Amino acid sequence: MTGLRIGVVGGSIAGCAMAIAGARAGADVTVHERSDGELQDRGFGIVIPPPLHRELVAGGYLGADMPTTPVATRVWLARAPGRRSARELARQQAPVAPCNWGLLWRALRANAGSGVYHRGRPVTSVGRTASGGAVIRTADGEREYDLVVGADGHRSVTRELVAPEVRPVPAGYLVWRGTIPAAALGDHPAQLELLESSWVTLGFPGGHGVFYLIPGSATGSRLLAYAVYASPPPAGTAPEAPVSAGYVRDIAEEHFPAEWADIVARGEHRSQALHPVADFVVPRAAEPPFLLAGDAASVTRPHTASGAVKALQDALCLERSLRASASAAEALHRYADERSAEGARLVGLGRRLGRALVENAPDWPAMGPAEVAALSSAALDGDDSYLYGSVQRQR
Ligand SMILES: Cc1cc2nc3c(=O)[nH]c(=O)nc-3n(C[C@H](O)[C@H](O)[C@H](O)COP(=O)(O)OP(=O)(O)OC[C@H]3O[C@@H](n4cnc5c(N)ncnc54)[C@H](O)[C@@H]3O)c2cc1C
């Protein structure tokens, strides 16, 4: 594959990882990123499995110095019935390596090469050449490639060409994500101690929140990352636009144990975003000379914590496929055989988790270890997820 010309649309997690994969397999890679700014400003939390983190470091995708805040245990909490204190429902072994999205991007970007990353260049369209190659068009003109990677996220222009029929399927509920400086835990040493060894799932009527520590951008600093899943506020009742921390604070005040509500109320929320939860998957993740990676190929409901994971695994698969193939088309078929199935698997898993944890949320305070294990097992339905390690081992 030496000298193969690869054009990558999008220079975020998937785009940088795919650029590394192509370069490692001997290709000449050019990345076209729409945004002019530094993507590292997105400081929210991303969780990946520790074995994948080790593989990416060993494979030269990530530097060993990229900070993570690994923990091995998942703790399920809810408010004690009729009280404002927390009740621990269950503990599961579920090792995770939480990262700061911005530091993860910066680490991938550092290994993706400098001369080949064009910022501030939106791709207006992609197309085929008469000789079987691909073309990327920007306001500056067009460039030809042997292979084009669509790593341009959930609104991918590349997917519009390869699978125009695919549309997101809304789940009917929302997720608020953000970070709070760890200083908000200063008056709550028990919660800080818990978060230093565990990541937390906090159930409440009609939804749940996930909390974990991630590295901050200043060396040695930490942030508390959260994702809160719930139905949209009834029209006209939200005190501010629901993207703001205001609605998350309202949910916390109404439903969380007092200490957790206080943490959410005190922190100055950063990197906030509101996402309507939705998913989709393309039938085939590559159609020569095009290949889709990361969110451009499929989006799973975030309960799987696997969108970035899949993007990184997509890149490892591209490198393996290029190395094992005699032509770009053969590599893309290998890639599609492996990654299309994985995208579909994750979408199915995300839907089952969403139904169990939000759409048909259980009576959390009434649950104990056996009920949490049964709920987890039923949602997995024989499938694997690194977020449910000990449940899988009991099968
Ligand atoms: C609440 C929540 C929690 C999550 N938690 C996790 C988690 O714990 N673990 C995990 O693995 N995943 C998680 N995810 C998913 C993860 O954030 C995404 O799957 C991942 O960041 C997608 O990366 P990407 O590079 O494919 O897409 P994006 O990050 O969307 O990047 C697409 C890039 O393409 C560029 N682009 C778009 N159009 C064009 C164009 N026309 N021309 C040029 N450039 C273009 C954009 O500017 C952008 O930089 C979570 C998601 C949510 C919503």
Side-chain angles (χ1 to χ4, degrees):
M1 292 296 135
T2 306
L4 188 81
R5 295 166 305 161
I6 300 183
V8 180
V9 187
S12 175
I13 300 291
C16 287
M18 293 309 257
I20 298 172
R24 286 178 58 83
D28 292 332
V29 186
T30 305
V31 178
H32 301 263
E33 165 56 41
R34 172 179 62 191
S35 170
D36 207 7
E38 287 294 319
L39 302 185
Q40 70 205 42
D41 292 344
R42 302 178 193 172
F44 44 77
I46 284 284
V47 172
I48 66 173
L52 175 64
H53 177 242
R54 289 194 288 275
E55 187 179 358
L56 293 165
V57 172
Y61 286 71
L62 293 178
D65 55 351
M66 186 196 80
T68 61
T69 44
V71 290
T73 307
R74 177 177 194 172
V75 170
W76 298 72
L77 300 176
R79 217 157 98 173
R83 316 246 313 264
R84 285 231 60 190
S85 54
R87 189 168 92 72
E88 185 174 313
L89 310 178
R91 274 178 186 243
Q92 296 170 340
Q93 283 307 301
V96 294
C99 313
N100 179 313
W101 192 99
L103 300 181
L104 175 63
W105 176 80
R106 200 189 296 176
L108 291 167
R109 172 77 186 87
N111 291 325
S114 56
V116 294
Y117 189 98
H118 299 297
R119 284 201 309 203
R121 306 262 176 98
V123 169
T124 49
S125 67
V126 296
R128 296 174 197 276
T129 63
S131 57
V135 61
I136 287 182
R137 301 185 188 95
T138 67
D140 297 342
E142 55 180 57
R143 284 185 189 220
E144 285 191 21
Y145 296 98
D146 301 306
L147 190 169
V148 161
V149 174
D152 43 347
H154 66 288
R155 293 203 181 111
S156 166
V157 296
T158 322
R159 193 180 66 246
E160 276 301 313
L161 183 79
V162 176
E165 74 286 2
V166 171
R167 290 283 171 265
V169 179
Y173 56 91
L174 307 174
V175 56
W176 287 259
R177 77 197 307 199
T179 57
I180 305 173
L185 290 155
D187 288 338
H188 297 288
Q191 284 67 36
L192 177 59
E193 196 182 332
L194 180 67
L195 286 161
E196 283 176 331
S197 62
S198 322
W199 58 285
V200 168
T201 302
L202 202 167
F204 59 84
H208 69 284
V210 176
F211 294 86
Y212 52 95
L213 293 174
I214 61 167
S217 349
T219 309
S221 67
R222 289 179 303 184
L223 299 166
L224 176 62
Y226 67 80
V228 173
Y229 298 84
S231 301
T237 60
E240 305 164 59
V243 70
S244 74
Y247 190 61
V248 174
R249 290 195 175 112
D250 286 353
I251 291 175
E253 183 53 34
E254 191 176 348
H255 297 300
F256 284 15
E259 312 82 347
W260 290 90
D262 188 55
I263 292 163
V264 171
R266 280 197 196 189
E268 177 211 336
H269 295 226
R270 298 181 190 157
S271 304
Q272 286 174 60
L274 168 67
H275 306 265
V277 175
D279 60 25
F280 66 83
V281 58
V282 293
R284 201 139 166 87
E287 192 185 294
F290 300 104
L291 171 161
L292 297 169
D295 281 6
S298 64
V299 168
T300 170
R301 298 192 195 182
H303 312 289
T304 62
S306 288
V309 169
K310 186 182 72 71
L312 296 164
Q313 290 169 338
D314 288 346
L316 293 168
C317 179
L318 176 66
E319 182 184 340
R320 273 196 313 275
S321 301
L322 288 171
R323 287 186 189 279
S325 305
S327 70
E330 184 188 331
L332 265 57
H333 286 304
R334 275 178 198 267
Y335 175 91
D337 289 345
E338 189 177 317
R339 302 315 291 164
S340 313
E342 179 63 358
R345 181 187 80 80
L346 288 170
V347 166
L349 177 62
R351 287 182 184 174
R352 293 196 303 278
L353 290 170
R355 280 197 286 271
L357 300 173
V358 184
E359 292 172 65
N360 304 314
D363 179 9
W364 295 105
M367 298 182 87
E371 289 77 15
V372 172
L375 175 135
S376 306
S377 266
L380 289 179
D381 194 23
D383 204 347
D384 287 340
S385 163
Y386 70 104
L387 304 180
Y388 294 84
S390 52
V391 179
Q392 284 167 208
R393 280 197 295 280
Q394 281 160 15
R395 283 209 288 264

